[in-house]
Amino acid sequence: MCGIVGYIGWREALPILLQGLKRLEYRGYDSAGLALLNGSIISVIKQKGSVSGLEAATVTLPEEMRNATIGIGHTRWATHGEPSDQNAHPFLNASRDIALIHNGIVENFSSLKQELISQGYIFLSETDSEVLVHLIDRIWKSDSRLDLESATRNALRHVDGAYGICVISSREPDKIIIARKGSPLVIGIGTGEYFIASDAAPIVEHTNKVVYLSDGELAVVTRDGYTVKSIENIEQAKIVTELDYSLDKIEKGGFEHFMLKEIFEQPEVMKNVMRGRVNPEKGLIHLGGISEYLDRLKQAKHIVICACGTSWHAALIGKYLIEEFARIKVEVDYASEFRYRNPIVGVDDVVILISQSGETADTLAALHVAKEKGALVMGICNVVGSTIARETLCGMYTHAGPEIGVASTKAFTAQVVMLYMLALSLSKGRTISHDEIALHLRELSCLPEKASRILELDGQIKGIAERFRDANNALYLGRGYNFPVALEGALKLKEISYIHAEGYPAAEMKHGPIALIDKDMPVIFIATHDSTYAKILSNIEEVRSRKGRVIAIANVGDGEVSRLTEDVIFIPSSSAPLSPLLTVIPLQLLAYHSATLRGCNVDRPRNLAKSVTVE
Ligand code: F6R
């Protein structure tokens, strides 16, 4: 949450910062701002709203600021203080010679603010972030031996909470100071120029060489290089990583929205997750990232999977898969609950953290708790080099490519494919025969083609969305492997269309939610063929007899379901464990079309942002 960019080099900083902010807008779009530094002058321009609004406002900048070759920019997801011009970053000190941007939350801001106010500091915003710039100012002014770097370091020692910051000063005009604790920062390495960002998206068009800052590190970035030190001032050796994604992966590629592009990428994504890891003909699976630990994983008494949001729904499917195939007991916990409830995990247990971004604050904190308790910690992340990926003992990347749409789609299917392969790996030589594994893998390898066939139903699904676009509520029902899909379908609908939606295990309907059903309530059933199919048909009848409006996902050729409702989306059949990978796709499209028909901006749903780096 909140996007940070910085540039120092030989080119004009302004267009680089604006382009970078556009690439980071999925991290927040409440306000945008930037600070440019040229010689002894810092110019700040910031306002409520989008980066394109900010870009239009930059026409007023004087020529010498347009020529500036150092600058920092920020796109905000509001925590403390409403979205407004005043609360937009960057923040300046009173003498306007220090500018700062911040991602994270300063938890002790209130006491720091009171202290600074009592010393004469004047605050112009309601944010927690503004204390940082005044704190650096106070410390720097209090001791003439300090420089910007040491003043920033000393200031951060007073701060509780999370931060990713960039600081510039006209008193030391050839450097950017950056520091992180809990909020990601990456340095992109060019030739005579350096780029700073919250993630690699704004960097990829300039260079593929990056250095990831770790928690508790502070870096001084100049045109000639960078030095990274710990907050205790000890120099840190850093590894330069090569990014392996190209610009086309972070552009819309002819689609109206990133979300739609990412939904349509899913067949390819499924292939990418499997590539080099499975050989269906020979029945082989090799998960390189965990191979060293596979025996320990198989011996786990108990596996806990922690995640948030959509990744939590994937985790729930993972529980069904691992318990069914590998017969290991699995518990699924919201990372935000796990971290605070003194969970019972120990050295014989495995904790799996699932996160698309690899930066979600609660999931990262759950990882720390699990580590402290001695569990083997394993990650399933999409973003290469992300904090969770780096801090887990072992793990696997989902290789879904950058997910820019705020509503997660392809990351979910990639996670489920990964969990399917993990469950089979854990069963190998224990609970399932080699031939059975080969059979499952062959079925898995047919999934991308089946997913492509579902995407061809886009027009029909849009037609259904047109009929239901005015609904105020919706109920999603599924059983077994498709109960988590019902939860995911409901989450997708509510987060992008603002229609209130609930997911339930279908059998639970009669224990309460049935009271909600009337002629205005769309009820979306996942009614594919599995052991509970007959029960689902009865549930559909129960809804129909109360005049509810039924939409069903059923398997091609199912005459029973089409007898019960005309709104049926027919999808290819699969085994029950693989069905979530197919049933979720029509639900993603249904949510997408419902939202766009209602005029919602699906790539920027209100109040949301990607990569939730605050609690
Ligand atoms: C929903 C969505 C969120 C994320 C959640 C976890 O569409 O995107 O619910 O799934 O914030 O994010 P990651 O997977 O990055 O940890």
Side-chain angles (χ1 to χ4, degrees), residues 308-311 355-357 360 406-408 415 491-492 495 612:
C308 304
T310 289
S311 298
S355 174
Q356 184 287 127
S357 61
T360 300
V406 169
S408 187
Q415 289 162 350
L491 177 63
K492 285 290 91 82
E495 70 180 327
V612 184

Side-chain angles (χ1 to χ4, degrees), residues 578-604:
L578 281 175
S579 62
L581 289 164
L582 300 180
T583 52
V584 76
I585 298 174
L587 300 187
Q588 294 167 341
L589 286 169
L590 191 65
Y592 172 81
H593 288 301
S594 305
T596 50
L597 288 164
R598 288 162 69 96
C600 305
N601 182 346
V602 297
D603 279 341
R604 289 191 210 158

Side-chain angles (χ1 to χ4, degrees), residues 91-220:
F91 295 106
L92 286 164
N93 61 338
S95 45
R96 300 181 69 87
D97 54 12
I98 308 173
L100 172 140
I101 52 179
H102 168 230
N103 170 19
I105 292 181
V106 179
E107 285 171 1
N108 58 337
F109 89 99
S110 187
S111 57
L112 290 172
K113 188 170 176 174
Q114 287 320 314
E115 195 182 304
L116 287 160
I117 287 173
S118 70
Q119 291 162 353
Y121 281 87
I122 294 167
F123 281 75
L124 302 178
S125 80
E126 304 154 304
T127 67
D128 54 327
S129 309
E130 196 183 354
V131 297
L132 296 172
V133 76
H134 298 309
L135 197 56
I136 295 170
D137 176 89
R138 187 192 74 189
I139 290 172
W140 201 359
K141 285 192 176 131
S142 68
D143 186 342
S144 57
R145 289 164 305 173
L146 296 179
D147 56 10
L148 180 62
E149 176 193 344
S150 44
T152 305
R153 176 177 297 109
N154 290 355
L156 292 176
R157 290 193 180 126
H158 297 268
V159 172
D160 295 334
Y163 54 79
I165 57 165
C166 287
V167 195
I168 52 173
S169 171
S170 53
R171 290 161 66 186
E172 290 183 14
D174 293 308
K175 63 179 71 155
I176 303 179
I177 308 290
I178 63 174
R180 87 158 259 182
K181 185 182 155 208
S183 302
L185 281 177
V186 190
I187 306 173
I189 304 168
T191 310
E193 57 180 355
Y194 292 85
F195 307 84
I196 294 146
S198 306
D199 64 48
I203 292 179
V204 71
E205 62 208 272
H206 304 294
T207 174
N208 67 347
K209 290 194 176 54
V210 296
V211 165
Y212 294 98
L213 227 61
S214 297
D215 269 353
E217 287 182 341
L218 179 147
V220 182

Side-chain angles (χ1 to χ4, degrees), residues 313-524:
H313 297 153
L316 215 49
I317 297 171
K319 170 186 165 77
Y320 285 53
L321 289 167
I322 296 171
E323 290 194 341
E324 175 162 347
F325 292 152
R327 309 303 300 155
I328 301 173
K329 185 172 175 300
V330 181
E331 191 186 344
V332 176
D333 219 339
Y334 287 110
S336 54
E337 290 297 313
F338 179 87
R339 63 182 290 192
Y340 285 118
R341 72 173 172 83
N342 194 12
I344 304 171
V345 280
V347 287
D348 296 328
D349 302 317
V350 170
V351 176
I352 302 176
L353 295 308
I354 305 183
S355 174
Q356 184 287 127
S357 61
E359 301 292 350
T360 300
D362 284 321
T363 313
L364 185 57
L367 159 60
H368 294 154
V369 171
K371 257 186 179 174
E372 269 162 34
K373 290 181 175 283
L376 190 163
V377 286
M378 174 189 150
I380 297 181
C381 297
N382 189 39
V383 177
V384 176
S386 55
T387 310
I388 293 172
R390 285 182 289 131
E391 290 200 17
T392 38
L393 187 65
C394 60
M396 295 166 299
Y397 285 118
T398 48
H399 299 311
E403 192 181 62
I404 312 277
V406 169
S408 187
T409 52
K410 65 175 181 172
F412 172 81
T413 37
Q415 289 162 350
V416 176
V417 173
M418 199 74 248
L419 287 161
Y420 193 85
M421 295 190 299
L422 175 67
L424 291 177
S425 259
L426 295 176
S427 358
K428 203 168 152 192
R430 294 177 55 247
T431 44
I432 310 191
S433 71
H434 177 82
D435 288 352
E436 279 171 302
I437 289 187
L439 195 73
H440 286 301
L441 290 182
R442 279 200 293 279
E443 232 212 315
L444 179 66
S445 66
C446 294
L447 262 271
E449 192 271 325
K450 292 183 181 179
S452 297
R453 277 192 269 153
I454 298 173
L455 292 169
E456 288 166 13
L457 304 176
D458 186 42
Q460 184 213 345
I461 296 169
K462 185 172 181 188
I464 296 177
E466 256 155 23
R467 287 196 287 287
F468 292 89
R469 62 192 273 186
D470 296 325
N472 292 321
N473 298 287
L475 207 53
Y476 284 70
L477 301 175
R479 294 185 77 147
Y481 282 99
N482 282 304
F483 157 54
V485 178
L487 296 177
E488 176 59 8
L491 177 63
K492 285 290 91 82
L493 187 75
K494 65 186 145 196
E495 70 180 327
I496 59 170
S497 73
Y498 320 136
I499 298 173
H500 171 243
E502 297 288 342
Y504 267 93
E508 280 295 300
M509 181 181 70
K510 56 189 171 295
H511 298 289
I514 198 165
L516 296 169
I517 291 169
D518 62 15
K519 64 177 180 28
D520 297 321
M521 174 71 102
V523 186
I524 296 97

